[in-house]
Amino acid sequence: MSRGGQAALSIAWVGITALLGLYVQRNLVVSGDLRLFMPKPATAVERLLLQEVGESPASRLLLVSLQGASPQVLAASSQAFALALRADPLFKAVANGADSVAAVPDKLLPYRYLLSTTLDSARFDTDFLRAQLEERLQDLSSPMAGVLEPWIARDPTLEFLKLAEQWQPAHQAQRRYDVWFDRRGTSALLMVATQAAAFDPDGQEIAAAALREHFAATRAAPRVTLTVSGPGAFSMMMKHRTQDQIAWLGTVDSLSMVLLLIVAYRSLRIVLLAALPLASAGVAGLAVVSALFGQVHGITLAFGFTLLGVAQDYPIHLLSHRRAGASALATARSVWPTLATGVISTCIAYLAFLCSGVIGLEQLACFTIVGLAVAGLTTRYLMPRLVPAKERDYGESAWLGRLWSRIIALPRPGWLAVAVALGCVTVLISGHAPLWQNDLGQLTPIPKNLTDQDERLREELGAADIRRLLVVDGGSADEVVAATEALSPKLDALVRRGDIASYESVARYLPSAGVQLRRQAALPDARTLEASLAAAVAGLPFKADLFVPFLEDVARARALPPLTGQMLTATPLQLRIDSLLLHRVRHWTGLITLSGVRDIPALEELAAQSGGVLTLLDLKQASEDLVAHQRVRILWSLAIAALLLLVTIGLALRSVRRMLRVVAPMALTTLIILATLHAARAPMNLFHLIALVLAAGLGVDYALFFEAVEEDPAEQRRTLHAVLVCSVSTFMVFGFLALSTLPVLRAIGVTVSLGVLANFAWALLLTRRPAHA
Amino acid sequence: MDTLLASIARPPPATTAFIEVRFSQLLARPLIVRGELEHLRGGALIRNVTEPFKERTEIDGDRVSVEREGKPPRYFSLQSIPGLAGLLGGFAAVLGGSRAAVEQDFNLALQGDTAHWRLELRPKSPRQSRYVHDIAIYGRDAAPRCIVVTPPDRSPEIMLVESAARTELPSPPTLQWLRQFCDSGGA
């Protein structure tokens, strides 16, 4: 190709890549929603779990504590902070203990007669009212007088006080200076619900920044400090830690890669050229994912580029196989059958993830397959036209020659392969450690001191057990409320027996319409009530006409439609009801949260006896089932992919024996990795599986090239050079990842670098053609 | 003032009869209850009402229990009754006889002479003044006789203690009569 032609091609290639890059930059939405990486729910419990995990009000709750100053200063801080947060639309609800649940709007107050249990057993007749009024007189001369006096004219039977008592959580933080404090009295506590879901790290980040800003603007003294805990705070912290490490590792990796390629090929131009297929691959992969999916998860990006690392091998094969005198195009033609087999077989392996049922993994597969195909094709058709003429031929390298003859002299230890395979299988069968990691939390573990602190705050604030809860399903809100109400006596019995310490359900705040109507029907009409009251008040020192507001409220209550959850919007009860009664598409879900669970079988029995109305949801168990269930699907997909891989390689090589020689290193390596992880008591997770597939793809590539080596000693040296550069560079990149402190990155790093070593060694030992005398 | 505070100190255990007269805008005539106050060793306070009904209130630390005849006792936290903790703190400080303890939370003012005095406590914190405007203790020599607690927005409650608790009250007692009675040192 002429110099002018080369220049035009370079400009066109770089230009098209840049244009695609622009398209990606304009259209690609990077999402931080971790649920993209969770499997599609298959059962009702799994569906509930995913809704719970990401959307429930409980998961949006941040537990906030203020400390570092005297209780008075902290209380003042808490008040000012809560005031500022309430005015900010980023926060759905703020509670600091100062706001009473009983602060109900005036127009809802007549509902007390439909909500209180008084009318279930009593009637507003003369006897009942007389006894109540005598008690009120005693109240007026008791220490409670100041609290009760303003209510007595309107509510002489104190229904509202009974409701407020019933609404008090079974356990809540102590109040000092009007706000919540921890037991030691050194931290003021608040609960803040964010508008953003817990698993939306970007939304959480904005909320957290606003939180800190309001805190700084409102704190009563500079020495007051802020601690924030809760799922949202954790997801944000983990995002930062992951990003920091990826940025750091990415820089180290890129620099060392460039250095290695310069050492290997002694030309900056070549190194820049070698980066082009990878750059095209990345941009094309992103463009297709953004066109097909609209948004892509940040993790897909991070892992996608990691997995795309295989594509860096393609230009290396082209560069290392060049012969002095021959055009790069001729080299490309000669390595293409082997290279193409490698590309296709790796793509097939990733096909498995396309059927995984996890959107994040489907994106990952789509991105990688498109990327690998583009990298392969540009290496074959574009790059050779730009590679400068060759002076040095690795086929003439003396040290590579010596190395190759040593390798040739090595035995072909078929027995060793069998022995190692048997050894690995023994380790896998006999080990006692769990083979799989089902605990999602272990993927992004939160430091122990932070979970301890979260637990402590949760306990102080009386937040419920976050692992187990009871779930009631129904077609309408009232159906769920009625079913929950019917369960209350059974739950009360569990509390009395000590099987659970307490529970919280929507029925505590909102009786069903049926119960409300029954109580309404028990209210006397205006004339009857007036007569009973007049008789009851006779002889008592109350002022005349004092109880007119009472008569008015009862008359109003007789005409009210039953109270619903919606009518409580913008009252202090809303947060409670919203977290206990959830509206889904076409159905309603009631949650009964539990605390102090001591007898799980008792709860299971309660659920079993409910005839399907009630489910006991164990969030930890359900999430582990979900992961296990997802893994079974992925393993099946992988098994099918493995078969397809065998068929593809067999077809390409047209020989079962050659096919077996190519896949043997990869199969052995996979066994070795599995056994090593198992022996090291490191249970496998999803990311190990992704990394295993990557390692297998690398192994197939190495083996294919070693298998394809001809008798020509120069060609043998070129292949050795190519595979050496490939494996050293890959080992280096993933070796750095293995040093990471984040389990996800470490899982990938350890698996792949171990895979590179084993694959390289076994490909040399098993796959190279038998030396002919 | 220090001498007076020391002389009216009543270290526990101490007991006194009392008459409490409470005015309320809900009532056509004031409520009068009689009974006994006890200050136990260990700090607990007991208010035993014997007339016209029976009620026993015990305040021990943060725990308040109220027991009425024929009803199961009710318990609540002292913190849940706004102002009460501050009020009791004032009484406890006066009963303890330490001026420093009283002045920690209240501004003190003394009027009259040793035979015939009026000690006024005004809460220092704005929080506490939302519930109590002032507490006035009237007495003769070393004997307190009247305690008048005036909330900022309601009628005062007047408690006659020690020898004053044996006074015959007019029926019904008026606020004016009680004020005069207390001012005159409970004649």
Side-chain angles (χ1 to χ4, degrees), chain A residues 99-110:
Chain A
D99 42 339
S100 161
V101 200
V104 165
D106 201 67
K107 72 176 177 16
L108 290 181
L109 279 178

Side-chain angles (χ1 to χ4, degrees), chain A residues 449-463:
Chain A
N449 59 335
L450 293 185
T451 51
D452 283 353
Q453 173 188 295
D454 190 63
E455 215 165 275
R456 193 177 55 75
L457 283 174
R458 212 164 267 285
E459 206 217 312
E460 296 267 13
L461 284 164

Side-chain angles (χ1 to χ4, degrees), chain A residues 135 139-141 149 543, chain B residues 22 24 47 68 71 154:
Chain A
E135 271 198 64
D139 290 338
L140 281 176
S141 65
E149 197 173 27
K543 281 183 181 165
Chain B
R22 199 182 287 244
S24 162
R47 175 179 182 270
R68 283 182 188 164
K71 301 244 168 177
R154 290 183 298 127

Side-chain angles (χ1 to χ4, degrees), chain A residues 268-301:
Chain A
L268 188 59
R269 183 178 169 194
I270 289 279
V271 172
L272 289 178
L273 256 180
L276 265 178
L278 192 65
S280 318
V283 169
L286 283 182
V288 172
V289 169
S290 109
L292 287 183
F293 292 90
Q295 58 169 356
V296 58
H297 196 282
I299 295 184
T300 307
L301 283 185

Side-chain angles (χ1 to χ4, degrees), chain B residues 11-183:
Chain B
T15 308
T16 171
F18 75 91
I19 304 176
E20 192 179 285
V21 185
R22 199 182 287 244
F23 294 86
S24 162
Q25 56 258 48
L26 304 186
L27 301 176
R29 49 180 195 269
L31 278 173
I32 302 161
V33 296
R34 290 165 203 270
E36 203 168 63
L37 288 177
E38 265 184 276
H39 191 199
L40 298 187
R41 222 182 302 233
L45 275 172
I46 294 168
R47 175 179 182 270
N48 227 333
V49 175
T50 49
E51 269 181 87
F53 52 86
K54 288 197 163 45
E55 181 191 77
R56 185 175 188 275
T57 307
E58 182 172 340
I59 301 167
D60 190 359
D62 185 53
R63 199 169 109 123
V64 182
S65 67
V66 180
E67 219 171 319
R68 283 182 188 164
E69 210 178 3
K71 301 244 168 177
R74 298 181 50 191
Y75 300 95
F76 36 92
S77 154
L78 186 61
Q79 298 282 337
S80 67
I81 309 168
L84 186 59
L87 192 64
L88 287 174
F91 283 131
V94 173
L95 288 174
S98 150
R99 180 174 180 175
V102 181
E103 286 191 323
Q104 202 178 336
D105 293 320
F106 295 89
N107 288 315
L108 269 180
L110 183 64
Q111 290 159 8
D113 49 54
T114 43
H116 191 187
W117 47 265
R118 177 178 182 270
L119 186 65
E120 190 186 271
L121 286 75
R122 274 182 195 246
K124 283 182 173 170
S125 86
R127 230 180 81 81
Q128 191 58 27
S129 351
R130 288 214 305 266
Y131 309 110
V132 178
H133 178 269
D134 68 84
I135 306 168
I137 303 171
Y138 298 79
R140 263 199 311 217
D141 302 323
R145 309 191 34 93
C146 276
I147 301 166
V148 181
V149 178
T150 312
D153 51 354
R154 290 183 298 127
S155 317
E157 47 186 80
I158 296 158
M159 194 183 252
L160 310 182
V161 293
E162 300 201 347
S163 58
R166 289 191 296 271
T167 312
E168 282 289 323
L169 295 181
S171 174
T174 58
L175 196 52
Q176 202 189 359
W177 185 91
L178 284 160
R179 283 230 163 92
Q180 255 172 16
F181 173 82
C182 292
D183 264 337

Side-chain angles (χ1 to χ4, degrees), chain A residues 408-757:
Chain A
I408 290 287
L410 287 174
R412 297 172 56 81
W415 60 268
L416 182 62
V418 175
V420 168
L422 282 177
C424 291
V425 170
T426 314
V427 168
L428 285 172
I429 293 173
S430 63
H432 294 297
L435 194 52
W436 303 105
Q437 176 61 267
N438 285 344
D439 186 353
L440 280 173
Q442 292 299 315
L443 288 183
T444 46
I446 295 145
K448 178 91 169 66
N449 59 335
L450 293 185
T451 51
D452 283 353
Q453 173 188 295
D454 190 63
E455 215 165 275
R456 193 177 55 75
L457 283 174
R458 212 164 267 285
E459 206 217 312
E460 296 267 13
L461 284 164
D465 185 300
I466 46 177
R467 176 164 170 188
R468 286 186 198 83
L469 60 150
L470 292 162
V471 182
V472 180
D473 261 309
S476 71
D478 192 54
E479 201 179 300
V480 170
V481 172
T484 312
E485 202 168 62
L487 283 165
S488 298
K490 290 175 187 161
L491 288 164
D492 291 337
L494 289 184
V495 173
R496 275 196 303 276
R497 286 212 307 263
D499 296 339
I500 54 176
S502 65
Y503 70 95
E504 169 103 325
S505 80
V506 65
R508 179 164 160 158
Y509 304 101
L510 191 65
S512 66
V515 167
Q516 293 188 50
L517 291 173
R518 197 183 67 214
R519 289 172 186 161
Q520 194 173 42
L523 283 169
D525 64 57
R527 192 173 300 172
T528 316
L529 183 64
E530 220 169 311
S532 310
L533 180 68
V537 86
L540 297 180
F542 289 109
K543 281 183 181 165
D545 292 336
L546 178 69
F547 296 108
V548 171
F550 164 60
L551 297 172
E552 286 170 355
D553 266 7
V554 172
R556 272 188 215 111
R558 279 169 52 87
L560 291 172
L563 187 72
T564 62
Q566 282 104 311
M567 293 157 89
L568 290 167
T569 307
T571 70
L573 281 178
Q574 186 198 358
L575 187 63
R576 308 274 183 101
I577 291 188
D578 277 358
S579 65
L580 296 169
L581 182 63
L582 316 174
H583 189 194
R584 306 296 187 209
V585 187
R586 282 201 297 276
H587 81 118
W588 289 76
T589 303
L591 304 180
I592 301 173
T593 60
L594 307 165
S595 58
V597 177
R598 270 172 232 113
D599 191 350
I600 296 159
L603 291 169
E604 283 165 347
E605 199 187 313
L606 186 69
Q609 287 172 350
S610 70
V613 179
L614 185 71
T615 316
L616 172 65
L617 180 62
D618 180 335
L619 288 173
K620 187 166 149 61
Q621 189 58 49
S623 74
E624 292 185 357
D625 289 349
L626 187 68
V627 172
H629 179 236
Q630 167 199 31
R631 189 177 48 241
V632 170
R633 275 183 80 161
I634 293 178
L635 286 175
W636 272 112
S637 323
L638 282 178
I640 295 165
L643 269 179
L644 284 173
L645 188 90
L646 293 183
V647 172
T648 318
I649 297 172
L651 283 177
L653 301 179
R654 294 191 186 79
S655 147
V656 176
R657 271 198 58 192
R658 290 178 66 194
M659 181 267 279
L660 286 178
R661 279 223 309 270
V662 166
V663 298
M666 173 200 88
L668 263 177
T669 300
T670 307
L671 269 180
I672 291 173
I673 296 173
L674 290 176
T676 310
L677 291 174
H678 195 51
R681 293 181 172 273
M684 303 239 297
N685 59 42
L686 179 63
F687 297 99
H688 285 106
L689 279 182
I690 297 176
L692 270 180
V693 175
L694 171 62
L698 293 168
V700 168
D701 267 0
Y702 301 164
L704 277 171
F705 275 94
F706 276 131
E707 207 279 334
V709 167
E710 293 155 28
E711 299 290 313
D712 177 10
E715 192 57 24
Q716 291 168 346
R717 288 171 209 173
R718 289 184 203 111
T719 299
L720 185 59
H721 185 267
V723 177
L724 264 179
V725 175
C726 289
S727 49
V728 171
S729 62
T730 313
F731 181 78
M732 201 173 63
V733 167
F734 287 92
F736 282 125
L737 279 191
L739 297 179
S740 165
T741 53
L742 292 180
V744 170
L745 297 182
R746 201 168 51 217
I748 294 183
V750 168
T751 310
V752 177
S753 39
L754 198 64
V756 168
L757 278 181

Side-chain angles (χ1 to χ4, degrees), chain A residues 131-328:
Chain A
Q132 286 288 314
L133 293 177
E134 282 173 350
E135 271 198 64
R136 291 306 81 78
L137 281 178
Q138 301 184 7
D139 290 338
L140 281 176
S141 65
S142 80
M144 293 295 278
V147 184
L148 298 179
E149 197 173 27
W151 285 99
I152 287 175
R154 188 170 183 184
D155 190 12
T157 59
L158 296 187
E159 301 310 322
F160 197 67
L161 191 79
K162 287 177 205 157
L163 281 180
E165 264 169 24
Q166 183 184 324
W167 290 340
Q168 285 299 319
H171 168 82
Q172 66 172 354
Q174 65 157 329
R175 286 177 57 199
R176 299 186 62 183
Y177 303 99
D178 292 332
V179 301
W180 284 328
F181 266 85
D182 68 345
R183 230 165 285 140
R184 282 163 54 213
T186 51
S187 318
L189 306 177
L190 298 94
M191 290 199 268
V192 180
T194 57
Q195 213 43 269
F199 281 76
D200 169 11
D202 300 326
Q204 285 293 336
E205 173 126 43
I206 295 167
L211 195 77
R212 279 191 300 270
E213 223 166 85
H214 289 308
F215 168 70
T218 58
R219 65 175 147 187
R223 59 183 190 282
V224 180
T225 59
L226 171 77
T227 311
V228 185
S229 184
F234 291 149
S235 83
M236 203 186 71
M237 186 189 77
M238 293 319 290
K239 179 189 159 190
H240 278 292
R241 284 189 49 188
T242 314
Q243 273 177 347
D244 289 352
Q245 290 217 355
I246 285 179
W248 180 79
L249 289 167
T251 313
V252 174
D253 275 345
S254 312
L255 281 177
S256 45
M257 188 80 173
V258 167
L259 215 67
L260 182 82
L261 291 182
I262 287 178
V263 169
Y265 300 110
R266 322 242 164 99
S267 155
L268 188 59
R269 183 178 169 194
I270 289 279
V271 172
L272 289 178
L273 256 180
L276 265 178
L278 192 65
S280 318
V283 169
L286 283 182
V288 172
V289 169
S290 109
L292 287 183
F293 292 90
Q295 58 169 356
V296 58
H297 196 282
I299 295 184
T300 307
L301 283 185
F303 294 145
F305 276 101
T306 311
L307 294 182
L308 215 52
V310 193
Q312 190 53 53
D313 288 1
Y314 304 162
I316 292 175
H317 284 301
L318 174 71
L319 294 169
S320 289
H321 276 95
R322 279 172 308 159
R323 257 163 286 172
S327 75

